Amino acid sequence: MSESKPIRRIALLTAGGFAPCLSASVAGLVRRYTEVLPDAEIIAYQYGYHGLLTGTFVVVDERARADIDVLDNFGGSPIGNSRVKLTNAKNLVERGLVTEGQDPLQVAAEQLRKDGVDVLHTIGGDDTNTTAADLAAYLEDNGYHLTVVGLPKTIDNDIIPIRQSLGANTAAEQASIFAQNIIGEHRSNPRMLIVHEVMGRHCGWLTAAAAQRYRSWWSEQEWNPALGLAKERWDVHAVFLPELKLDMAGEAERLRGIMDEIGNVNIFLSEGAGVPEIIAEMEAAGEEVQRDPFGHVKLDTINPGAWFAKQFAALIGAEKTMVQKSGYFSRSARANDEDLALIRLMTDLAVVKAIAGESGVIGHDEENDDELTAIAFPRIAGGKAFDLTTPWFGALLGEIGQNAVAAEPAEH
């Protein structure tokens, strides 16, 4: 543990893609600091690391603190996000955030020194938080102590070794709500195929959890099959995840039987499912696979939902297909009560750890009996796979008649 020193200035930033926890997490930190360190100044860098590189921030003044509870009622991030990778100098030069020859990590670290920041709170995924650790290490090596305490934000719950990321439960709930409307489209045409595409590049947790929450809602409804409002037509008929082996032929045979019997098929699809097959097909055709500053394939450019819909439509004899993506609907929602309770636990502990001068990412540590603590940055990683042996998921697949065969481990 680092030796504590008086905290005069605290900085916050949110980074990466949105999740339904950002606004409430900012509120939680400001609320708690106002209670325990009312004289410490709080600043918020605008648009994450973009604002840190440009030295753009706002001061959380008395009026902002007085109205802080309002943030719990909104999604998004009041202080802004961006996708900025500090180790991708070429991209940052192209965007005008640093000049040729500058080390972005050094630029950001020196900005923190210039701004007199004693504590930095980062609210983001593994890239956001481990980058913050690199900044702290640079400053420590250059005679300036900075405590960095991160909060784990991903809607697909894929941070190692954290049991539950902030915002993921809300995202699953919102994806279920989205599906409750979209699946109503199944009677808009005979032999209808609906693909509900859910966010999740490497991890299928969000898709699985959304399907489970949807079926919980579905199981509680009353139906009128005599007039066509049939329970079977509103069910989830298949769930495809990156962790599941893609048995296109076997699933097509099963789903064609459902189509022939009830006239529609509803699929919950994780956007990362089948991506290796799609990339191989694109590259074989000589098409370029676009990637973002982090080196990740731009999933919106390869459009997994459309690919799956095209493949299955022909195999199961669909007359019409519909692909609907719940990602932006889910990730920008306000945090639900379940997440608000988790946010309060984590933000309160984040302040405790910051005052003690202990850096790390707050979370329930799956490798240490789910203890809620500050997890050392070197232990943080992304791409945690969903555990296919999770009992509720096995029960879900069993109920819809789908086999669960694990895919080969993905290369990230």
Side-chain angles (χ1 to χ4, degrees):
M1 181 181 295
S2 301
E3 182 180 352
S4 62
K5 66 174 184 176
I7 296 174
R8 297 173 296 273
R9 193 174 232 195
I10 300 146
L12 317 176
L13 66 81
T14 59
F18 276 176
C21 64
L22 298 174
S23 189
S25 294
V26 170
L29 290 169
V30 171
R31 187 185 297 119
R32 189 61 181 151
Y33 274 116
T34 300
E35 292 169 353
V36 301
L37 288 179
D39 295 329
E41 186 177 51
I42 304 174
I43 66 172
Y45 286 109
Q46 301 294 281
Y47 301 104
Y49 287 121
H50 190 289
L52 179 53
L53 286 172
T54 59
T56 308
F57 63 81
V58 296
V59 176
V60 183
D61 60 16
E62 286 187 21
R63 179 61 184 272
R65 293 184 191 226
D67 294 336
I68 200 64
D69 291 348
V70 172
L71 269 63
D72 288 343
N73 299 326
F74 290 88
S77 172
I79 61 177
N81 280 35
S82 63
R83 290 192 181 277
V84 169
K85 188 173 180 65
L86 294 185
T87 55
N88 191 339
K90 181 177 182 293
N91 175 260
L92 298 180
V93 169
E94 291 170 352
R95 295 164 68 176
L97 295 176
V98 298
T99 59
E100 190 71 47
Q102 283 187 312
D103 177 358
L105 199 64
Q106 181 179 354
V107 172
E110 291 300 335
Q111 187 66 50
L112 288 164
R113 188 207 303 264
K114 176 184 174 183
D115 293 338
V117 174
D118 300 307
V119 172
L120 173 64
H121 286 288
T122 52
I123 310 168
D126 59 295
D127 282 319
T128 297
N129 286 308
T130 53
T131 295
D134 291 340
L135 291 171
Y138 172 88
L139 288 168
E140 196 76 47
D141 291 343
N142 288 274
Y144 185 96
H145 178 67
L146 175 72
T147 300
V148 180
V149 182
L151 292 170
K153 170 239 54 162
T154 60
I155 64 171
D156 45 0
N157 199 30
D158 70 338
I159 301 178
I160 299 169
I162 293 173
R163 184 189 71 200
Q164 189 69 41
S165 300
L166 297 177
N169 277 314
T170 302
E173 178 182 79
Q174 292 295 317
S176 167
I177 293 170
F178 182 91
Q180 290 164 30
N181 286 355
I182 293 304
I183 288 179
E185 290 281 338
H186 72 271
R187 294 296 268 177
S188 64
N189 198 81
R191 299 189 71 84
M192 182 77 172
L193 169 62
I194 295 177
V195 177
H196 173 199
E197 184 177 332
V198 183
M199 283 186 169
R201 178 182 299 276
H202 302 302
C203 180
W205 181 91
L206 179 59
T207 304
Q212 183 206 29
R213 287 183 183 245
Y214 173 84
R215 290 194 91 243
S216 177
W217 167 85
W218 167 84
S219 68
E220 296 170 354
Q221 305 310 304
E222 295 182 358
W223 308 93
N224 188 341
L227 195 56
L229 185 63
K231 184 176 185 178
E232 295 76 16
R233 291 175 176 151
W234 286 77
D235 200 357
V236 177
H237 301 122
V239 180
F240 296 133
L241 313 179
E243 296 87 353
L244 285 172
K245 182 178 180 180
L246 179 58
D247 177 13
M248 186 72 75
E251 278 300 287
E253 181 179 358
R254 183 179 71 85
L255 294 175
R256 180 154 195 138
I258 293 172
M259 179 70 83
D260 291 344
E261 181 180 353
I262 65 173
N264 68 285
V265 166
N266 307 314
I267 295 173
F268 274 52
L269 169 73
S270 174
E271 64 181 355
V275 166
E277 290 86 352
I278 300 172
I279 292 174
E281 185 177 290
M282 290 178 66
E283 290 178 339
E287 299 178 45
E288 181 185 359
V289 177
Q290 298 183 38
R291 299 179 183 272
D292 67 15
F294 292 86
H296 301 146
V297 172
K298 290 185 175 181
L299 293 177
D300 58 337
T301 65
I302 67 172
N303 210 343
W307 185 87
F308 266 85
K310 180 181 177 182
Q311 302 296 319
F312 276 110
L315 292 169
I316 69 176
E319 289 189 12
K320 182 179 179 181
T321 61
M322 173 182 286
V323 181
Q324 293 292 316
K325 303 180 181 183
S326 62
Y328 292 107
F329 178 87
S330 299
R331 77 176 202 166
S332 57
R334 59 165 289 182
N336 65 12
D337 289 344
E338 192 175 5
D339 263 320
L340 285 174
L342 187 60
I343 289 166
R344 178 61 66 92
L345 275 177
M346 289 195 183
T347 53
D348 282 0
L349 183 60
V351 171
V352 169
K353 295 297 184 181
I355 292 172
E358 183 177 345
S359 294
V361 179
I362 303 299
H364 292 89
D365 188 346
E366 290 186 305
E367 297 170 3
N368 287 292
D369 298 322
D370 283 342
E371 178 188 3
L372 181 62
T373 187
I375 300 169
F377 285 106
R379 295 181 55 216
I380 299 295
K384 179 177 73 174
F386 174 58
D387 183 0
L388 296 178
T389 67
T390 301
W392 58 258
F393 183 65
L396 186 156
L397 290 192
E399 289 167 7
I400 67 175
Q402 181 177 342
N403 292 327
V405 178
E408 292 296 321
E411 294 183 8
H412 301 326

